[in-house]
Amino acid sequence: MRIAERERVEGGRERLTLVPESLDDLWHLTYVIEPGDRVAGDTTRRIQRNDDQMRDTGGEREHIWAALDVEDVEFARFADRLRVSGVIDDCSREDQLGQHHTINVEQHDELDVEKTWKPDQMDRIEEAVEATDVPDVAIVTVEEAQAYVHTVEQYGTEERASIAGPTGKGEYARPREELFGELTDVLKRTDADAIILAGPGFTKQDALAYIEDEAPEVADSIRTVDTSAVGDRGVHEVLKRGAVEEVQEETRIAEEATLIDELMERIATGAKVAYGPDPVSEAAEYGAIEHLLVLDEPLRRARGDGDQWDIDVDRAIERTEQQGGDVTVFSREFDPGQQLSNLGGIAALLRYRLN
């Protein structure tokens, strides 16, 4: 993310001109822009024409500048864009004022966002700015019969390839070199700055030896990690061990995996923990929260229509920070976020037990 300009405006609001430089940046904006904000940028709109000189053809798209009173925000990951919808309150064409419109924001588009910024929202923008220079990481998990390639994004991990290994016996068996060969081809196309090769046993070492022979330029970026599983479980182990952090120190997923593991361990042992809206709100009022864990999607809904939780979540965040606690907003796209969702979408590691 790049902040091109920032300016104070009336009412204690601030306008940031933002340039998203990756899909991660578009995802961050989903949880920063909310109903009631003012968002402006260049866009296209279908304009109806009903004059004597031109037959109405249902409208033609024109490039315009528009500012919206935001009503809804959607991250369309598979379309590589952010959709911001609302009512036009300023526009380069006055005849379009008051109309509903959607601005489609893609990578490298410039967008003005005017709002009263909450501390965690500004933190998210600053993290996105810092993450611009963080290297891309791929996690490969491999065992005798299969291999998986995941890339690490700020909104979660994405499975990029699943490769079946040797099957059958005798003359119909596929040699394991076929698995290693397909894996090497995938890694050549991945274009990652760093690759973590993980899995149980010695298969990963054999795979690395193959890659060193066939693609030494790829092998130079590989480091190995022992895990007990492959696929999603193996990826979780890699994140928990901190292997990604060594390459990508600001990776939020690794932090989420560690926090959720500590949370679950405390729940299992009856240690200092609170989960669910009401217990967490109570803990915040007592100043007992050491680390607040909150899920991005219900947080966004709570700030929108207010019917997600029967608590003031912004007060809980503010009280936590005032008392020196930390706040981490989890991504719903990754397994720790799904685990947090099962606990009501909000939890806290406490300084002391309340009951």
Side-chain angles (χ1 to χ4, degrees):
M1 186 84 73
R2 180 168 59 86
I3 301 177
E5 187 177 346
R6 58 194 312 165
E7 179 185 3
R8 293 282 183 182
V9 294
E10 294 181 2
R13 292 160 70 94
E14 186 175 10
R15 181 188 304 117
L16 265 60
T17 301
L18 302 172
V19 183
E21 299 180 323
S22 68
L23 288 182
D24 283 334
D25 291 342
L26 295 177
W27 172 76
H28 280 303
L29 290 175
T30 307
Y31 298 102
V32 167
I33 300 172
E34 54 194 338
D37 293 346
R38 189 174 190 267
V39 167
D42 294 325
T43 181
T44 63
R45 180 170 173 81
R46 194 174 297 280
I47 306 296
Q48 297 287 342
R49 297 185 180 278
N50 292 298
D51 53 40
D52 295 335
Q53 285 74 37
M54 180 175 292
R55 178 174 57 87
D56 182 18
T57 60
E60 296 181 358
R61 286 209 165 272
E62 290 188 8
H63 287 277
I64 62 171
W65 175 89
L68 306 183
D69 181 8
V70 176
E71 294 181 344
D72 190 40
V73 184
E74 177 189 4
F75 174 40
R77 186 196 310 172
F78 300 108
D80 293 350
R81 63 176 55 173
L82 180 76
R83 296 171 54 85
V84 183
S85 302
V87 176
I88 299 175
D89 70 356
D90 194 8
C91 187
S92 56
R93 286 187 56 119
E94 292 186 2
D95 60 337
Q96 300 301 304
L97 294 176
Q99 301 294 314
H100 279 83
H101 183 65
T102 296
I103 296 177
N104 291 311
V105 186
E106 300 182 355
Q107 296 175 61
H108 308 297
D109 287 348
E110 192 171 276
L111 191 72
D112 290 337
V113 181
E114 180 184 315
K115 61 186 283 117
T116 302
W117 294 85
K118 302 178 178 69
D120 63 287
Q121 294 171 336
M122 189 59 72
D123 287 345
R124 186 183 282 264
I125 292 296
E126 291 173 355
E127 287 176 10
V129 171
E130 292 175 2
T132 300
D133 297 324
V134 170
D136 295 326
V137 179
I139 300 176
V140 179
T141 53
V142 60
E143 61 183 0
E144 197 62 38
Q146 54 194 333
Y148 300 87
V149 178
H150 289 73
T151 54
V152 179
E153 316 292 347
Q154 288 178 270
Y155 55 79
T157 56
E158 287 280 0
E159 182 180 307
R160 300 299 183 182
S162 174
I163 306 167
T167 57
K169 295 183 179 180
E171 62 178 313
Y172 297 106
R174 293 178 60 199
R176 67 206 300 258
E177 284 74 15
E178 288 190 16
L179 171 69
F180 298 156
E182 290 184 39
L183 176 59
T184 301
D185 290 340
V186 170
L187 294 181
K188 287 179 180 178
R189 299 192 298 268
T190 301
D191 194 31
D193 296 307
I195 299 170
I196 297 172
L197 181 58
F202 297 101
T203 306
K204 61 182 174 295
Q205 299 296 343
D206 295 337
L208 177 56
Y210 181 95
I211 296 170
E212 287 174 337
D213 289 339
E214 299 297 326
E217 72 284 359
V218 174
D220 287 343
S221 63
I222 293 178
R223 65 182 66 189
T224 59
V225 173
D226 290 324
T227 59
S228 63
V230 297
D232 290 337
R233 285 181 53 203
V235 168
H236 182 74
E237 287 187 57
V238 169
L239 295 171
K240 181 180 176 181
R241 289 168 184 259
V244 172
E245 284 187 315
E246 294 177 6
V247 181
Q248 203 178 38
E249 292 183 353
E250 300 301 324
T251 301
R252 58 185 297 116
I253 307 169
E255 179 189 5
E256 292 175 15
T258 300
L259 286 171
I260 204 69
D261 283 342
E262 183 175 354
L263 176 69
M264 300 307 292
E265 182 178 347
R266 290 195 186 190
I267 290 174
T269 59
K272 300 171 290 186
V273 68
Y275 57 92
D278 291 332
V280 169
S281 179
E282 180 184 7
E285 291 302 315
Y286 278 103
I289 295 180
E290 179 181 45
H291 205 130
L292 178 63
L293 286 56
V294 59
L295 192 59
D296 52 15
E297 182 61 23
L299 175 61
R300 185 166 71 95
R301 291 201 299 267
R303 286 171 167 170
D305 52 31
D307 66 354
Q308 177 64 38
W309 294 312
D310 292 328
I311 65 168
D312 185 343
V313 67
D314 284 322
R315 177 171 173 78
I317 292 173
E318 182 179 344
R319 289 285 295 163
T320 298
E321 293 180 332
Q322 286 175 345
Q323 299 296 324
D326 295 317
V327 178
T328 297
V329 180
F330 276 55
S331 166
R332 64 172 178 164
E333 301 289 342
F334 189 58
D335 181 64
Q338 295 170 14
Q339 291 178 266
L340 184 59
S341 177
N342 294 334
L343 297 171
I346 188 169
L349 306 174
L350 304 182
R351 296 187 174 96
Y352 52 84
R353 299 174 68 167
L354 294 179
N355 298 321

